[in-house]
Amino acid sequence: MYDEQNEPLGRLIYFTAQKIGVQAESFLRPYGLTLEQLHLIKTLAADGELSQQHLGVATNKSAGNMTRLINRLEKKGLVARRGNPADRRSLLVTLTLQGTALEQEIAVLFEQFSALLHQEIGAQEKEEVRRVLRRMTANLENMECSNKQRSGADE
């Protein structure tokens, strides 16, 4: 029998994230964007022009995945690439005027989405969730380091 009170946190987080993603994608569908593309656009809106490498780190994407995302956004006229004058081996990515306007429009939409998502959740509860998720993220990063050390010792 299913016991909601003892549901593993990992499972609950997974299913919640999945439902958030499905709802967010439905909000984005009329704009022809994916959640992954929006994350990249919002990062550029917040941080300004970035190298593809820095953008990949900021969005936790591999170089290949980053190239694919940027290509698609560039075809839509939302981002532009140019050579990096400080490093000829890299490219800088920036939002176009169209990309900036779209990000601002979608920001309003996602404020509404967030308000619906956070209904009946108080400020203290939100802060507690943030604290717990940050701790879990740190634990996962520590696990990654331990795994890398173990695999390095096996070689």
Side-chain angles (χ1 to χ4, degrees):
M1 183 168 172
Y2 179 72
D3 181 5
E4 191 176 279
Q5 294 291 23
N6 293 313
E7 182 172 17
L9 280 178
R11 178 184 167 91
L12 184 59
I13 291 167
Y14 172 79
F15 283 122
T16 302
Q18 196 174 40
K19 286 183 181 204
I20 290 170
V22 167
Q23 287 298 314
E25 292 279 353
S26 73
F27 272 73
L28 289 171
R29 199 166 292 116
Y31 298 92
L33 289 178
T34 65
L35 197 52
E36 193 175 37
Q37 291 169 338
L38 177 64
H39 187 48
L40 189 145
I41 288 170
K42 293 205 68 66
T43 300
L44 287 171
D47 296 343
E49 187 174 61
L50 292 172
S51 71
Q52 279 190 217
Q53 181 181 10
H54 285 104
L55 189 54
V57 170
T59 57
N60 199 29
K61 300 290 176 202
S62 68
N65 203 3
M66 185 55 47
T67 299
R68 179 184 55 80
L69 279 168
I70 293 169
N71 285 345
R72 288 185 178 157
L73 291 172
E74 199 170 36
K75 284 179 187 170
K76 294 176 183 190
L78 302 175
V79 301
R81 282 184 272 212
R82 68 178 183 93
N84 185 346
D87 181 356
R88 286 188 276 166
R89 298 168 295 163
S90 75
L91 294 171
L92 296 173
V93 182
T94 190
L95 286 177
T96 62
L97 291 176
Q98 182 182 345
T100 299
L102 183 63
E103 188 278 329
Q104 291 169 353
E105 184 178 341
I106 289 175
V108 171
L109 182 72
F110 269 82
E111 284 176 23
Q112 296 166 354
F113 176 79
S114 289
L116 291 170
L117 181 64
H118 299 154
Q119 283 183 128
E120 300 179 31
I121 301 172
Q124 281 185 306
E125 289 173 298
K126 288 184 216 175
E127 191 50 45
E128 182 67 12
V129 170
R130 284 185 192 98
R131 189 187 66 72
V132 169
L133 290 174
R134 284 186 192 113
R135 181 70 249 157
M136 291 175 85
T137 299
N139 291 344
L140 287 166
E141 289 168 353
N142 289 337
M143 289 167 56
E144 288 173 8
C145 289
S146 295
N147 289 339
K148 286 179 185 175
Q149 289 173 348
R150 271 196 301 267
S151 67
D154 292 343
E155 293 175 7

